[in-house]
Amino acid sequence: CGVFGAYRIENASSITYYGLHSLQHRGQEASGMAVCDGKEIHVQKGKGLTVDVFRKDKLNQLEGDLAIGHVRYSTAGGQENENIQPIVSKGHLGSLAVAHNGQIVNEKELRLELENQGAIFQGTSDSEVLLHLIQKEKGTLLEKVIKTARRLEGAFSFLVLDEDSIYAVRDRHGLRPLSYAAFKDGYVISSETCAFEVMGIYDSTDLKPGEVVEFKKGLVKKYQYTQDITHHMCAMEYIYFARPDSVVEGINVHAFRKKTGAVLAKKDVGLEADIVIGVPDSSLSAAIGYAEASGIPLETGLYKNRYVGRTFIQPTQAMRDRGVRMKLSPVTSVVKGKSVVMIDDSIVRGTTSRRIVRLLKEAGAKAVHVRIASPVITHPCFYGVDTSTKEELIGAHMNKDEIEKYIEADSLQYMEVEELKQVAKEIGLCVACFNGDYCTPLYSYQKVLEK
Ligand code: 5GP
Ligand code: SF4
Ligand code: MG
């Protein structure tokens, strides 16, 4: 998911609209906004892309200079309308809205506890648990937010809005990104910095793991809500999820991906190939890095139809199957008769690689050497990225030779976990989906792992 906030910005809804639009790659299932004019919180949300949910007339109805917004990609909770964020509660103590990116692993335990105390939930998302917890705590909103953050385990970067303030919170492991920047007379907050750059903002600050930032009375105040922090930025943000023009923890995503390509090229000394091609869009940076490091020319061997959403995000296998074919076509004149190095960013079920190898061979490629710009995924993610269930993960059941045969590649190579860590050695990465080394207890999800 992606979150965006605007504090003390005139027409906060329109800037939030642009922000969400820039974060659209983080979720296409639903989009929503909660806007406050100092008195009341107005909400607008629905299924689909930001452009479809917010037509011009709808935006105009959302007046105020405070806003938080969300684009949804469902991992926890289903696709029901109740789960579309921001989640808003209008109580006698005032209104609150929450927009959340990540996944809370002790959600079920907290939900049960809240239900036993009489809480009634509308939907099944963990974000609603968050909202209930905040409401139940005592003290100022800052104190409530801090107490809540201390009770949550897992991945979260979330925003809380009330009538006159916004709070931004990041989990103590720093699993999901979250940054803010001064803009005009106020501030903007975003999951990724690419949203700032479209606004002409080139200077921003990352929240630290275990930090709450308060935007209130025109001021920004930072609070470290726990000292018990680690650094586990999700490696998949760099590999696949984030936009190449974003800077995550000081590292540009495109630069990170280029380095992974170079690592792959160094492992391939002596490989005879005519061209390097990337699978658009998320593998293009790695393909550039591979080509630069190997000296093998980069080509456009695959064309992507940009009007089909990210295949993986469509929830059923049947839809995914249809999606992939709609999405990519080989450029026959480029690949015919050639020995091709095909770079993809990740291998999850192996379906994309297998299909693309076939496409390229059908288009006349002499050989297809598949190079994956990450290690093979062997474990499910419980922190907000849909890396699928263990049964579906090809890397959980097959070794490298078996995968190579399955995807019908002439050769297969991917990164080692240590090589991945070296690419961003200045920061700490979460690599749990590659090695099962989760940085938090998993609570009820432990059972999923043991299955
Ligand atoms: P597979 O076909 O092996 O199941 O999935 C790998 C492909 O899915 C890659 O091309 C990658 O770009 C794409 N993909 C789409 N969504 C995701 C996601 O959420 N995580 C990962 N790791 N890859 C994804
Ligand atoms: Fe990211 Fe993988 Fe860690 Fe999930 S398990 S947070 S996808 S690195
Ligand atoms: Mg891809």
Side-chain angles (χ1 to χ4, degrees):
C1 305
V3 296
F4 189 89
Y7 175 75
R8 286 210 175 167
I9 309 274
E10 206 186 331
N11 286 328
S13 63
S14 73
I15 207 75
T16 302
Y17 173 83
Y18 291 120
L20 292 179
H21 191 62
S22 314
L23 298 175
Q24 193 77 76
H25 59 286
R26 298 184 67 87
Q28 298 94 44
E29 280 172 28
S31 185
M33 230 190 265
V35 185
C36 187
D37 54 11
K39 293 190 284 291
E40 240 188 294
I41 294 179
H42 304 277
V43 205
Q44 206 50 263
K45 52 187 184 179
K47 285 189 178 171
L49 302 177
T50 303
V51 282
D52 297 323
V53 175
F54 298 97
R55 299 269 168 219
K56 207 166 177 148
D57 51 322
K58 282 198 184 174
L59 265 188
N60 291 342
Q61 291 161 14
L62 294 167
E63 278 177 44
D65 64 357
L66 261 62
I68 63 171
H70 188 265
V71 288
R72 177 170 176 81
Y73 155 80
S74 67
T75 49
Q79 286 189 294
E80 303 79 24
N81 283 332
E82 296 73 36
N83 290 335
I84 302 178
Q85 298 189 46
I87 294 186
V88 183
S89 113
K90 299 190 178 178
H92 55 284
L93 293 172
S95 303
L96 276 186
V98 169
H100 165 230
N101 170 214
Q103 192 174 335
I104 295 158
V105 288
N106 59 343
E107 179 259 337
K108 288 195 182 67
E109 290 72 14
L110 292 169
R111 180 181 286 260
L112 200 65
E113 179 191 312
L114 288 162
E115 278 174 345
N116 286 337
Q117 294 167 0
I120 294 164
F121 289 91
Q122 311 287 315
T124 52
S125 85
D126 50 358
S127 317
E128 208 182 338
V129 172
L130 229 167
L131 186 61
H132 274 272
L133 274 177
I134 297 171
Q135 283 175 313
K136 198 191 67 126
E137 296 294 351
K138 303 227 157 25
T140 62
L141 184 52
L142 172 67
E143 287 162 350
K144 291 174 179 217
V145 167
I146 286 178
K147 285 178 195 163
T148 299
R150 285 181 183 150
R151 296 218 55 203
L152 305 173
E153 190 71 87
F156 51 89
S157 279
F158 66 85
L159 303 178
V160 182
L161 167 80
D162 76 349
E163 280 87 0
D164 60 5
S165 54
I166 292 180
Y167 292 85
V169 186
R170 202 163 164 223
D171 68 69
R172 65 191 185 88
H173 309 286
L175 279 155
R176 297 276 147 243
L178 192 62
S179 311
Y180 62 96
F183 183 57
K184 295 190 173 163
D185 300 325
Y187 293 89
V188 281
I189 312 147
S190 176
S191 289
E192 279 182 47
T193 64
C194 64
F196 298 151
E197 301 205 3
V198 303
M199 292 161 197
I201 306 167
Y202 300 103
D203 192 20
S204 59
T205 308
D206 296 332
L207 268 85
K208 294 196 183 71
E211 193 171 71
V212 173
V213 179
E214 177 189 61
F215 301 85
K216 193 182 168 101
K217 297 189 172 140
L219 299 173
V220 182
K221 287 189 186 155
K222 304 190 214 184
Y223 303 90
Q224 193 67 39
Y225 67 82
T226 173
Q227 299 301 329
D228 187 11
I229 62 162
T230 70
H231 287 92
H232 284 88
M233 167 53 71
C234 167
M236 203 53 83
E237 289 277 349
Y238 292 104
I239 294 162
Y240 168 77
F241 214 52
R243 240 168 72 161
D245 53 337
S246 285
V247 177
V248 179
E249 298 276 12
I251 301 174
N252 168 243
V253 173
H254 168 70
F256 180 101
R257 291 179 187 169
K258 269 187 79 175
K259 281 194 190 170
T260 61
V263 170
L264 289 170
K266 291 209 184 90
K267 290 158 71 123
D268 269 348
V269 179
L271 178 77
E272 292 199 11
D274 303 310
I275 53 172
V276 180
I277 66 171
V279 181
D281 294 313
S282 45
S283 311
L284 296 179
S285 303
I288 294 171
Y290 187 103
E292 259 182 34
S294 67
I296 302 169
L298 180 71
E299 263 292 3
T300 297
L302 292 162
Y303 174 76
K304 178 180 167 186
N305 182 333
R306 302 223 143 61
Y307 305 96
V308 182
R310 282 194 160 182
T311 41
F312 203 92
I313 282 165
Q314 297 165 2
T316 66
Q317 187 61 42
M319 281 167 83
R320 267 192 296 273
D321 288 347
R322 237 179 300 142
V324 170
R325 236 168 297 141
M326 290 299 300
K327 207 165 139 180
L328 285 173
S329 355
V331 182
T332 307
S333 60
V334 168
V335 301
K336 198 171 178 181
K338 302 277 169 54
S339 172
V340 179
V341 177
M342 179 208 109
I343 316 269
D344 203 0
D345 57 273
S346 53
I347 190 155
V348 184
R349 299 175 186 80
T351 45
T352 307
S353 294
R354 181 186 166 104
R355 224 173 260 121
I356 295 171
V357 171
R358 282 198 182 167
L359 278 178
L360 294 172
K361 292 251 167 111
E362 278 164 25
K366 207 163 63 188
V368 181
H369 303 284
V370 175
R371 298 295 178 264
I372 305 295
S374 60
V376 161
I377 297 172
T378 53
H379 289 74
C381 173
F382 304 110
Y383 302 137
V385 171
D386 184 13
T387 51
S388 189
T389 58
K390 193 144 189 167
E391 301 89 78
E392 290 177 315
L393 292 171
I394 192 167
H397 308 288
M398 291 188 194
N399 65 29
K400 195 165 135 223
D401 291 341
E402 290 164 338
I403 298 173
E404 184 179 288
K405 206 171 275 158
Y406 175 80
I407 63 174
E408 299 168 7
D410 291 271
S411 73
L412 168 69
Q413 195 59 258
Y414 37 76
M415 291 176 80
E416 299 301 325
V417 174
E418 276 316 308
E419 290 171 332
L420 180 70
K421 285 185 180 170
Q422 279 301 309
V423 169
K425 55 177 180 299
E426 55 275 50
I427 63 164
L429 290 178
C430 171
V431 290
C433 52
F434 305 115
N435 68 4
D437 197 357
Y438 299 92
C439 60
T440 72
L442 296 176
Y443 299 85
S444 56
Y445 293 105
Q446 190 66 41
K447 287 197 280 299
V448 179
L449 204 60
E450 283 155 10
K451 249 200 286 184

